[in-house]
């Protein structure tokens, strides 16, 4: 245990000198949106169109999550307090609004597995599942999207949002942060926010034209 804490402390200093490989935020965002529509179509639902108002609302929230370094669906103050308020501030008049949040890693890490951080001898921080084993690869946009959407599908509230038949539009955003716990510092941290909506001007996507706003608790 003492050796593990020493390694974790070293990992923090390495991160400060040599950043982890970067996940391209634009490519990862597009992959999240594609994966969402792929899952919806597999469930027999129509794909969602991209909304710039939803993207603005998602960007406001994901930037806030990266600052506070934890998951939340709310912000202080009335203007951006929840997803409905953020959409209104972005210029959307929504009859349905939903929001999904998640955090994941820069490296393509299987949660729960032990790992070993080390310096690769060239000033780069790496991690592996075994001592001196092959380093964990960084997420690709596609593997990151699959991991985050899987998190949402395994959370009842987030799944309900993602597969909402009344939704017609969406957008995603991601942001980076330093992990809060030293023992996962080598893996990096990425927040993702997805905002879904149906504008008031859009025809109902189901015969009931629901106006329910559902904001589940954040997944981890």
């Amino acid at each position: 245990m003492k050796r593990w804490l020493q390694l974790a402390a070293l990992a923090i200093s390495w991160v400060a000198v040599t950043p982890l490989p970067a996940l391209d935020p634009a490519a990862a965002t597009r992959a999240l949106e594609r994966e969402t529509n792929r899952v919806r179509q597999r469930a027999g639902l129509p794909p969602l169109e991209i909304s710039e108002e939803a993207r603005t609302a998602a960007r406001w929230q994901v930037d806030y999550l990266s600052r506070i370094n934890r998951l939340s669906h709310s912000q202080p103050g009335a203007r951006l307090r929840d997803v409905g308020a953020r959409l209104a501030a972005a210029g959307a008049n929504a009859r349905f609004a939903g929001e999904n949040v998640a955090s994941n890693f820069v490296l393509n890490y299987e949660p729960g597995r032990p790992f070993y951080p080390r310096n690769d001898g060239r000033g780069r921080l790496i991690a592996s599942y075994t001592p001196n084993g092959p380093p964990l690869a960084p997420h690709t946009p596609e593997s990151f999207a699959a991991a985050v959407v899987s998190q949402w599908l395994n959370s009842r509230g987030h799944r309900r949002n993602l597969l909402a038949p009344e939704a017609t539009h969406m957008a995603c955003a991601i942001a980076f942060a330093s992990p809060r716990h030293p023992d996962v510092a080598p893996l990096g941290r990425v927040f993702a926010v997805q905002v879904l909506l149906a504008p008031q001007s859009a025809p109902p996507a189901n015969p009931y034209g629901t106006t329910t706003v559902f904001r589940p608790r954040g997944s981890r």
Side-chain angles (χ1 to χ4, degrees), residues 7 20 42-43 45 70 74 92 99 103 124 140 145 162 170 175 177 191 210 212 217 220:
L7 286 170
L20 290 162
R42 189 176 64 195
L45 295 166
R70 61 180 175 84
S74 62
E99 180 179 77
S103 69
R124 288 194 312 127
T140 65
L162 194 146
M170 68 145 172
F191 286 102
T210 179
T212 300
R217 297 179 67 85
R220 293 194 181 272

Side-chain angles (χ1 to χ4, degrees), residues 137-177:
H139 266 301
T140 65
E142 291 73 22
S143 67
F144 175 78
V148 170
V149 170
S150 177
Q151 286 177 266
W152 288 334
L153 290 175
N154 286 316
S155 164
R156 184 174 62 179
H158 292 84
R159 181 186 183 92
R160 176 181 170 182
N161 278 344
L162 194 146
L163 298 178
E166 56 268 54
T168 59
H169 293 71
M170 68 145 172
C172 300
I174 73 167
F176 301 95

Side-chain angles (χ1 to χ4, degrees), residues 110-121:
E110 183 181 330
R113 286 191 64 176
F115 67 92
Y116 300 83
R118 67 182 188 274
N119 191 302
D120 69 352

Side-chain angles (χ1 to χ4, degrees), residues 160-214:
R160 176 181 170 182
N161 278 344
L162 194 146
L163 298 178
E166 56 268 54
T168 59
H169 293 71
M170 68 145 172
C172 300
I174 73 167
F176 301 95
S178 299
R180 298 179 69 182
H181 304 292
D183 56 348
V184 294
L187 305 177
R189 193 176 199 189
V190 190
F191 286 102
V193 173
Q194 177 181 70
V195 172
L196 307 98
L197 77 150
Q200 287 285 3
S201 59
N206 64 45
Y208 304 104
T210 179
T211 58
T212 300
V213 177
F214 185 83

Side-chain angles (χ1 to χ4, degrees), residues 5-206:
L5 292 175
Q6 289 173 336
L7 286 170
L10 284 172
I12 295 173
S13 65
W14 294 336
V15 169
V17 175
T18 307
L20 290 162
L23 179 68
D24 182 338
T29 297
R30 291 192 298 269
L32 266 178
E33 292 162 352
R34 287 194 304 269
E35 181 67 6
T36 295
N37 277 334
R38 186 187 72 80
V39 168
R40 284 180 61 88
Q41 289 180 289
R42 189 176 64 195
L45 295 166
L48 302 174
E49 297 180 33
I50 301 303
S51 159
E52 289 307 313
E53 292 84 0
R55 191 174 308 288
T56 298
R59 172 52 56 193
W60 281 335
Q61 188 63 10
V62 84
D63 286 346
Y64 176 69
L65 298 187
S66 72
R67 292 196 301 273
I68 65 172
N69 211 358
R70 61 180 175 84
L71 293 172
S72 176
H73 285 285
S74 62
Q75 289 195 34
R79 182 172 178 266
L80 302 179
R81 66 185 180 277
D82 58 24
V83 64
R86 290 188 286 275
L87 279 169
N93 183 14
R95 58 180 172 80
F96 165 86
E99 180 179 77
N100 288 337
V101 300
S103 69
N104 210 284
F105 302 106
V106 173
L107 298 185
N108 193 350
Y109 166 69
E110 183 181 330
R113 286 191 64 176
F115 67 92
Y116 300 83
R118 67 182 188 274
N119 191 302
D120 69 352
R122 293 177 293 176
R124 288 194 312 127
L125 173 67
I126 59 175
S128 57
Y129 288 131
T130 59
N132 300 314
L136 298 178
H139 266 301
T140 65
E142 291 73 22
S143 67
F144 175 78
V148 170
V149 170
S150 177
Q151 286 177 266
W152 288 334
L153 290 175
N154 286 316
S155 164
R156 184 174 62 179
H158 292 84
R159 181 186 183 92
R160 176 181 170 182
N161 278 344
L162 194 146
L163 298 178
E166 56 268 54
T168 59
H169 293 71
M170 68 145 172
C172 300
I174 73 167
F176 301 95
S178 299
R180 298 179 69 182
H181 304 292
D183 56 348
V184 294
L187 305 177
R189 193 176 199 189
V190 190
F191 286 102
V193 173
Q194 177 181 70
V195 172
L196 307 98
L197 77 150
Q200 287 285 3
S201 59
N206 64 45

